[in-house]
Amino acid sequence: MLNNVSVLIPYKRDNGLRDRIFKWVKTFYETMMPEVELCIGETLIEPFNRSQAINIAAKQATRDVFVIADADVFYDPQILVQGIKLLDQHAWVIPYFTWQDLSKSSSEKLLVHSPQWPLPFKVKYKERKFKKSKPISGVIIVTRENFNMVKGFDERFVGWGKEDNAFKDAMNTVCGPYIRPRDTSIYHIWHPKVGSRGNPNIVNNIKLYNRYAKKRGNIEEMKKLINKRDQE
């Protein structure tokens, strides 16, 4: 099953901790899921354009199932296997229910161990609490066909913030709603936070997302909005 999977990882070098984390995560896939095709999307745009990085990775992909995964998360490979099976009945899948943040000390310890699952030692982590709704990033599973139907991620979103929400509204409207199985987790390796607050483009991102929100549920209008990307 994993032989038909391309894992798309958006990535930006920092010559520091994030590079160490990415190297560990990349080795985790190579060790625990050697069948998957790893596609690394790098971009030099400042601030980081995650949408562009994902689309760059997608252009490298040769498989029919896309797993869009952050460069600082890992998980039990079985949640990927089970998530892919759900694509038979659902347009796309968010294969985890809880987001677990590893402590700084556990993250530092993890990075000096060879990647494996189950982990070679007990790690400390805390479930991240979200004010409104659960995240729709981290790890998602979508067919190549459906990813292309919404033309991937909108690269007009620059810096962190709202690109995932726009993708969610586009996917749910044009292709159909996602499913999120219960009793599953992904694990996030600690690093200093960036987030949307430090993004100088966040106001523009919010304005652009509001255009998606207004088209939510209207297939024809959402398609028109998606098709306008190249014209603006």
Side-chain angles (χ1 to χ4, degrees):
M1 180 179 294
L2 296 183
N3 287 319
N4 199 30
V5 172
S6 294
V7 178
L8 316 183
I9 303 179
Y11 174 56
K12 188 178 190 308
R13 298 177 185 272
D14 74 343
N15 299 312
L17 179 58
R18 284 181 178 271
D19 285 355
R20 289 181 59 210
I21 292 172
F22 168 72
K23 182 179 179 181
W24 190 94
V25 169
K26 182 172 180 287
T27 305
F28 182 86
Y29 281 102
E30 293 169 345
T31 303
M32 301 307 306
M33 293 170 271
E35 309 96 325
V36 306
E37 175 185 52
L38 288 179
C39 303
I40 314 304
E42 292 192 59
T43 176
L44 300 177
I45 289 180
E46 290 287 355
F48 179 56
N49 189 323
R50 183 170 175 272
S51 294
Q52 184 185 70
I54 291 171
N55 291 344
I56 289 172
K59 290 176 182 177
Q60 303 169 24
T62 64
R63 312 282 177 85
D64 294 325
V65 176
F66 289 175
V67 174
I68 303 172
D70 287 349
D72 52 12
V73 300
F74 65 97
Y75 47 88
D76 181 347
Q78 280 304 306
I79 77 167
L80 201 59
V81 174
Q82 296 304 317
I84 292 169
K85 291 179 181 178
L86 293 172
L87 287 176
D88 291 337
Q89 298 180 336
H90 303 275
W92 59 304
V93 180
I94 301 177
Y96 67 92
F97 194 75
T98 59
W99 180 298
Q100 309 290 2
D101 285 314
L102 269 65
S103 68
K104 181 178 180 180
S105 59
S106 287
S107 297
E108 291 173 343
K109 186 177 180 181
L110 186 72
L111 293 178
V112 299
H113 281 78
S114 298
Q116 57 184 285
W117 188 272
L119 296 177
F121 60 92
K122 189 174 182 179
V123 297
K124 294 181 180 180
Y125 56 81
K126 183 177 181 180
E127 181 179 341
R128 188 180 298 188
K129 302 298 182 181
F130 297 90
K131 293 181 179 180
K132 296 182 179 179
S133 58
K134 291 184 179 295
I136 35 91
S137 61
V139 182
I140 66 174
I141 307 172
V142 60
T143 62
R144 170 194 290 274
E145 180 181 9
N146 283 350
F147 183 89
N148 288 338
M149 280 185 67
V150 299
K151 296 189 175 181
F153 277 67
D154 190 335
E155 297 182 18
R156 292 173 297 177
F157 288 96
V158 178
W160 297 103
K162 299 301 182 180
E163 73 281 353
D164 289 315
N165 303 80
F167 183 79
K168 176 198 69 175
D169 285 348
M171 280 293 300
N172 284 350
T173 299
V174 176
C175 302
Y178 67 83
I179 187 173
R180 186 194 296 271
R182 299 185 67 87
D183 302 320
T184 51
S185 298
I186 60 171
Y187 300 86
H188 176 260
I189 301 173
W190 181 92
H191 57 77
K193 290 184 178 181
V194 179
S196 60
R197 291 183 180 179
N199 178 11
N201 200 62
I202 189 59
V203 173
N204 290 332
N205 282 7
I206 292 172
K207 288 180 179 179
L208 177 56
Y209 171 66
N210 287 338
R211 294 169 62 187
Y212 278 86
K214 290 178 181 178
K215 308 298 183 184
R216 189 187 301 147
N218 188 320
I219 297 176
E220 292 307 316
E221 288 300 313
M222 183 64 77
K223 286 182 176 180
K224 289 179 182 179
L225 178 59
I226 291 169
N227 289 330
K228 285 182 179 179
R229 292 178 188 172
D230 298 333
Q231 304 169 15
E232 297 182 0

